[in-house]
Amino acid sequence: QQQVKQSPQSLIVQKGGISIINCAYENTAFDYFPWYQQFPGKGPALLIAIRPDVSEKKEGRFTISFNKSAKQFSLHIMDSQPGDSATYFCAASVNKLIFGTGTRLQVFP
Amino acid sequence: NAGVTQTPKFRILKIGQSMTLQCTQDMNHNYMYWYRQDPGMGLKLIYYSVGAGITDKGEVPNGYNVSRSTTEDFPLRLELAAPSQTSVYFCASSSTGGPLHFGNGTRLTVT
């Protein structure tokens, strides 16, 4: 009930391509779905977040797509850049955040 | 603006030793959290606090203790270190309904 399942574990994308990371959840009480970005040696930092009353949120090259009926949400990174190479975590919350297992993204020039 | 500060950055402990991981924030956030991060496992919540004097268990509290005597500080105590506690520990804080702000972590090895 409290799990958030994230895939893939790792992702290699060419510069300029689209990176897609998927997450699924079970607890329908979750009401906040953020994505965090983590660079080596640093703590995670909030990238973008969505609430379940909208199906999509876009901030620059980053988009969250949210499918409430399927209990799934995904992060799309358009025009991926080498500087986007990092580990990405999805999460879900009702009172406290439950994190997915992370996706290591590598963008090659 | 320091944000969330964790000390030490690295530590090696022998089995059975004890230590305290320090965390302080200067954003006047009510909420503070301790997570551990293991490869391929994401971040697991150890303990959290909604304000000074109030703490509660997260997903993986066994082997750890916390206290919250001030708004700024939220130390994590390991009493009898075990190899299973080898991990990277992150402290975070947030305002009510706000995003988590993480420190840069403490890498702990127990041998």
Side-chain angles (χ1 to χ4, degrees), chain A residues 14-56:
Chain A
Q14 204 77 19
K15 179 183 175 181
I18 302 173
S19 305
I20 301 174
I21 305 170
N22 300 298
C23 284
Y25 64 97
E26 297 173 357
N27 188 348
T28 55
F30 287 142
D31 61 1
Y32 177 64
F33 301 88
W35 285 88
Y36 280 77
Q37 180 187 55
Q38 184 182 29
F39 294 105
K42 300 293 186 182
L46 179 66
L47 184 64
I48 187 173
I50 198 168
R51 296 209 179 259
D53 52 348
V54 297
S55 60
E56 185 175 282

Side-chain angles (χ1 to χ4, degrees), chain A residues 40-102:
Chain A
K42 300 293 186 182
L46 179 66
L47 184 64
I48 187 173
I50 198 168
R51 296 209 179 259
D53 52 348
V54 297
S55 60
E56 185 175 282
K57 183 173 182 180
K58 184 176 181 179
E59 291 184 2
R61 296 184 294 108
F62 300 91
T63 300
I64 299 179
S65 297
F66 185 81
N67 186 331
K68 189 173 181 179
S69 60
K71 293 186 283 186
Q72 295 176 347
F73 59 110
S74 60
L75 176 69
H76 295 237
I77 306 174
M78 310 300 289
D79 188 26
S80 298
Q81 299 297 311
D84 297 330
S85 297
T87 300
Y88 293 81
F89 293 95
C90 64
S93 169
V94 58
N95 289 315
K96 46 189 181 294
L97 278 176
I98 305 297
F99 283 87
T101 51

